Amino acid sequence: GQNIDQPTEMTATEGAIVQINCTYQTSGFNGLFWYQQHAGEAPTFLSYNVLDGLEEKGRFSSFLSRSKGYSYLLLKELQMKDSASYLCAVREGNYQLIWGAGTKLIIKP
Amino acid sequence: IAGITQAPTSQILAAGRRMTLRCTQDMRHNAMYWYRQDLGLGLRLIHYSNTAGTTGKGEVPDGYSVSRANTDDFPLTLASAVPSQTSVYFCASSESNTGELFFGEGSRLTVL
């Protein structure tokens, strides 16, 4: 069946590094997305991985291992504005997106 | 500013009433989607449209209908609202069915 697992909540300290994991089991694979969603706002695109490896974009990096059904989002030099939910989504073989429930990241000073 | 506009932002509705959530995009994207977001659950696809004139059912289509008369507009209609349809509804679009999604600001619907 289809399943995407992410931790429900994580806490980290301002200035530190945090890794948010996502594991998935889906019917086919056509890419994995990470979105950021601040409370009461719309999700916004962060990254897209379709091949194995690390994609770096400023303070944010995303990693994918298709053989393990695993991805992570790495946030460096955490800022208070990074407090948000982070959503993992997998595009299946039929091009539909399956979404995880999201990881709420709390940043403490 | 280019993007997706949803209306209304928030609405309280009596059970049994008909309601249409409006969604308009000005990015000329081919694909459009309606999702609902509930606490503790991932975004769930209600209906989608890969191009003007076509629509498809998503994961949770029952009680909802959509139309795609043109590229820009993708309204979602609840024919007879029920309390379980209380949720935040997001409209989204993408250039194609393989691209990243751009989301509207959401419509918070409460059915009493």
Side-chain angles (χ1 to χ4, degrees):
Chain A
Q2 309 160 337
N3 195 43
I4 296 185
D5 287 318
Q6 308 177 233
T8 302
E9 187 175 297
M10 299 181 70
T11 301
T13 303
E14 190 177 16
I17 299 173
V18 71
Q19 177 174 312
I20 302 174
N21 296 325
C22 171
T23 58
Y24 63 89
Q25 289 180 304
T26 55
S27 303
F29 179 85
N30 274 304
L32 185 144
F33 294 83
W34 283 96
Y35 278 76
Q36 181 189 59
Q37 185 177 25
H38 286 100
E41 297 183 8
T44 55
F45 171 78
L46 284 178
S47 68
Y48 172 67
N49 295 70
V50 66
L51 299 176
D52 290 350
L54 187 69
E55 295 278 344
E56 297 186 80
K57 190 184 296 185
R59 294 190 297 115
F60 293 6
S61 303
S62 56
F63 171 83
L64 174 67
S65 169
R66 289 172 296 170
S67 62
K68 295 182 179 178
Y70 168 70
S71 173
Y72 67 73
L73 181 70
L74 190 72
L75 291 74
K76 303 176 184 176
E77 302 169 16
L78 286 169
Q79 301 175 11
M80 297 303 292
K81 67 179 182 179
D82 297 329
S83 292
S85 289
Y86 292 86
L87 314 181
C88 173
V90 173
R91 193 179 292 284
E92 293 192 299
N94 63 359
Y95 298 101
Q96 293 301 330
L97 276 174
I98 303 298
W99 296 80
T103 299
K104 183 179 181 179
L105 178 64
I106 299 168
I107 309 298
K108 295 186 174 180
Chain B
I1 299 176
I4 297 182
T5 302
Q6 289 185 233
T9 303
S10 179
Q11 182 77 45
I12 299 174
L13 188 66
R17 298 298 295 270
R18 181 183 178 89
M19 177 71 193
T20 294
L21 303 180
R22 300 183 298 280
C23 176
T24 299
Q25 55 110 352
D26 60 4
M27 297 177 284
R28 308 301 294 172
H29 284 172
N30 286 313
M32 297 188 75
Y33 313 84
W34 273 106
Y35 287 93
R36 60 177 291 172
Q37 188 174 40
D38 302 290
L39 198 62
L41 299 177
L43 288 162
R44 291 184 292 169
L45 183 65
I46 304 170
H47 285 286
Y48 67 94
S49 169
N50 285 329
T51 189
T54 69
T55 62
K57 294 182 179 180
E59 182 184 354
V60 289
D62 294 343
Y64 305 95
S65 63
V66 292
S67 62
R68 187 87 185 277
N70 57 60
T71 298
D72 298 342
D73 301 302
F74 192 45
L76 176 74
T77 297
L78 289 68
S80 179
V82 296
S84 62
Q85 292 177 311
T86 293
S87 187
V88 179
Y89 291 86
F90 285 102
C91 180
S93 73
S94 61
E95 198 169 273
S96 69
N97 65 353
T98 60
E100 69 181 85
L101 269 60
F102 294 82
F103 286 84
E105 290 302 310
S107 296
R108 183 176 294 276
L109 184 66
T110 302
V111 183
L112 301 176

